Amino acid sequence: AAPALAPAPAAAAPVAGRPDGRIIATPYAKKLAKKLKVDLATVAGSGLNGRITAGDVESKAGVPSSTAPKKAAATAPAAAAAPSAA
């Protein structure tokens, strides 16, 4: 019996966008997409009127969002200032 061939990886499907085919994204999202090598046509926008934001690009790329609030940094000084019971 011949070994089964693995199916070729499917290209990322384009997200349904504007009827005219234009991709609306913030300038920083465009810059970030270029840096992270993310195709904006495959990113769903969460901004006003479906606009692609930097957070959308970061989510698609799988990197931590630089726009998310940094909770760990806010709690670290409080933990360091607390006296330890030794």
Side-chain angles (χ1 to χ4, degrees), residues 39-72:
D39 181 8
L40 287 176
T42 64
V43 180
S46 65
L48 184 63
N49 295 324
R51 183 176 222 182
I52 299 170
T53 64
D56 298 329
V57 174
E58 290 168 334
S59 294
K60 183 71 174 183
V63 298
S65 178
S66 63
T67 58
K70 295 182 170 81
K71 294 180 183 177

